[in-house]
Amino acid sequence: QVQLVESGGGLVQAGGSLRLSCAASGSIFSINKMGWYRQAPGNQRELVAAITSGGNTNYADSVKVRFTISIDNAKKTVYLQMNSLKPEDTAVYYCTCNAMYRVAYLDYWGQGTQVTVSS
């Protein structure tokens, strides 16, 4: 069993900051990459940021300047530092992990954590 546990979501005023964390546990032999998606009501789920175990990153254009993703391979934990938050960042943020399970790489998803940015 593989489980992703997210934390750090909450309510913040525009211009504020939050730091999301996601820890992977279970029968994971090798992590390929981890990342964050988000979904607001009525919208498609979109990639926010992703990072490989080697440290390569990519970001949505809307967050490149403001958000920073990082990974601790030993702890199997990914972080998303979110600064200068805007109301349009309000969404449920989902952690994802692509990792080796037995003989194949599979995608795993967290349950999501709510981020609400007030104006």
Side-chain angles (χ1 to χ4, degrees):
Q1 182 179 350
V2 176
Q3 189 173 38
L4 302 180
V5 179
E6 300 142 324
S7 63
L11 174 65
V12 65
Q13 291 186 337
S17 298
L18 287 172
R19 188 179 189 237
L20 305 183
S21 299
C22 174
S25 63
S27 301
I28 296 178
F29 295 97
S30 180
I31 295 175
N32 180 35
K33 64 180 180 180
M34 299 185 74
W36 294 92
Y37 286 71
R38 68 186 181 188
Q39 187 170 24
N43 293 348
Q44 298 272 27
R45 185 175 296 187
E46 64 175 350
L47 175 68
V48 178
I51 185 169
T52 69
S53 60
N56 293 321
T57 61
N58 67 290
Y59 298 88
D61 289 341
S62 60
V63 308
K64 282 183 177 179
V65 177
R66 301 179 295 120
F67 292 8
T68 302
I69 190 169
S70 60
I71 189 169
D72 185 327
N73 288 300
K75 295 181 178 180
K76 298 180 181 178
T77 300
V78 65
Y79 307 92
L80 185 67
Q81 179 66 46
M82 304 186 293
N83 299 323
S84 302
L85 283 161
K86 304 175 181 179
E88 50 263 45
D89 295 317
T90 296
V92 177
Y93 284 69
Y94 297 91
C95 175
T96 186
C97 176
N98 181 258
M100 175 67 73
Y101 178 73
R102 299 185 70 180
V103 297
Y105 281 98
L106 299 175
D107 293 324
Y108 302 93
W109 292 87
Q111 295 184 11
T113 184
Q114 178 70 47
V115 172
T116 302
V117 184
S118 65
S119 59

